[in-house]
Amino acid sequence: MPDAVPFFFALGALAHLCRSGLRLPAPLYETLSIYLLLAIGLKGGVEIAASSHPALWRDALGAILLGALIPLLVFPLFRWRFPRADAASLAAHFGSVSIVTFAVASAILHQRGVEFEGHLVLLAALMEAPALIVATLLARLGGEGKPAWGRLFHEVLANKSVLLLLGGIAIGWVAGPQGAAPLAPLFVDLFKGALCLFLLEMGLVAASQLPELKKSGRFLVACGLALPPLLALVGLGLARILGLSLGGSVLLMVLASSASYIAAPTAMRLAVPEANPALGITAALAIVFPFNLLLGIPLYIWLAGAL
């Protein structure tokens, strides 16, 4: 039986295309964002405290290296068609991660009874910064101007999504299973319902990017569809090296294949202001996110089990 969660994204997209006027209130959307990030981080922190996984820091180093590697892999492809600044910005979006895609994949694995390592959420948080820093270096090597490194590091490390995710991990880690148990009715039982509402809004937003998709051209569309499976295979290779479980391998594939539409646009606006922001947001939100949500996650589950 298919999981119901991704269908809420499709419903949102359909509602926009039908010009229904449906829209979640901005305060509710902001509240759902904060809730999901805290819930994901809290759950990961509790599982880290409970498992005491011996390979935690080895896996963390692997995630950091993966986050730095992906921009280096995709930058030459985008540079073939776009100016250096735009290519670097796109590399940042593809190298950074989508925590919402991670949450959907986690929910699907949970429904299927597939277990995964609790510290994968920590790896998700650690993959943000390396990709953004490497992409900034790619933009400036051979280019003009210097990035405001102080502002960039502050934006990357104090970014709302990273701060809430790491904060939730720290709280769950310190509190442990017993200390976090009273919070379960809010942060565990209601999680899937909140995720469905958030995806409904994401469907509305993604469908609104379709006009920009037409302007971006076939090349960007082709990259947005071809790169996620290829990058997922890179993630699978690292998962095999690290010895992750089936569920852990799938989630690392999801992290490698996803693209950021929250942290990366903000960081690139500071670090590479001359880049066209519409390219990265369109690729991440209108191409990669729907692909992973509707087709990619089932594909990665199958690949992780078959290879």
Side-chain angles (χ1 to χ4, degrees):
M1 182 179 294
D3 191 275
V5 173
F7 290 106
F8 283 83
F9 175 86
L11 176 61
L14 179 63
H16 177 84
L17 295 176
C18 293
R19 300 179 183 178
S20 66
L22 176 65
R23 192 81 190 200
L24 265 66
L28 177 58
Y29 172 75
E30 185 73 11
T31 302
L32 288 171
S33 302
I34 295 172
Y35 169 83
L36 290 174
L37 288 164
L38 277 176
I40 293 167
L42 187 66
K43 184 175 185 294
V46 168
E47 293 191 12
I48 291 172
S51 64
S52 300
H53 199 285
L56 172 64
W57 301 114
R58 181 205 63 186
D59 294 356
L61 178 59
I64 291 172
L65 293 176
L66 180 61
L69 175 64
I70 290 175
L72 295 173
L73 293 176
V74 302
F75 175 76
L77 175 63
F78 291 123
R79 186 68 182 94
W80 181 56
R81 190 67 177 265
F82 297 108
R84 173 176 287 272
D86 289 340
S89 178
L90 283 165
H93 285 75
F94 277 82
S96 190
V97 301
S98 165
I99 199 64
V100 177
T101 310
F102 178 87
V104 173
S106 301
I108 292 175
L109 290 175
H110 179 73
Q111 186 203 34
R112 297 189 181 191
V114 180
E115 297 183 357
F116 52 87
E117 293 81 356
H119 65 276
L120 261 295
V121 66
L122 176 61
L123 306 192
L126 293 175
M127 285 180 66
E128 289 276 14
L132 301 178
I133 293 170
V134 169
T136 301
L137 289 172
L138 290 172
R140 295 307 171 204
L141 290 175
E144 297 180 358
K146 296 181 179 179
W149 287 109
R151 292 181 63 198
L152 175 61
F153 279 116
H154 177 269
E155 186 63 37
V156 169
L157 299 177
N159 180 275
K160 177 185 70 175
S161 59
V162 176
L163 186 63
L164 287 171
L165 195 59
L166 289 176
I169 291 172
I171 293 171
W173 199 341
V174 172
Q178 292 184 342
L183 303 178
L186 175 62
F187 286 106
V188 177
D189 298 344
L190 299 180
F191 177 81
K192 205 166 186 178
L195 179 60
C196 291
L197 288 176
F198 188 84
L199 287 176
L200 181 67
E201 175 68 9
M202 285 290 94
L204 292 165
V205 175
S208 70
Q209 293 290 319
L210 290 179
E212 287 293 334
L213 192 60
K214 295 178 181 178
K215 297 178 185 178
S216 301
R218 297 178 181 177
F219 179 78
L220 187 60
V221 174
C223 290
L225 295 176
L227 283 175
L230 296 175
L231 294 175
L233 291 176
V234 177
L236 179 59
L238 177 60
R240 292 287 186 263
I241 294 173
L242 297 177
L244 296 181
S245 65
L246 173 62
S249 299
V250 171
L251 289 182
L252 193 58
M253 294 171 76
V254 168
L255 290 174
S257 65
S258 65
S260 171
Y261 51 83
I262 298 176
T266 307
M268 287 300 100
R269 187 176 68 246
L270 289 174
V272 194
E274 66 272 27
N276 180 3
L279 290 175
I281 294 174
T282 300
L285 193 53
I287 308 174
V288 178
F289 184 66
F291 172 84
N292 276 333
L293 208 63
L294 302 175
L295 298 175
I297 294 173
L299 174 63
Y300 307 150
I301 294 174
W302 177 80
L303 284 174
L307 297 182

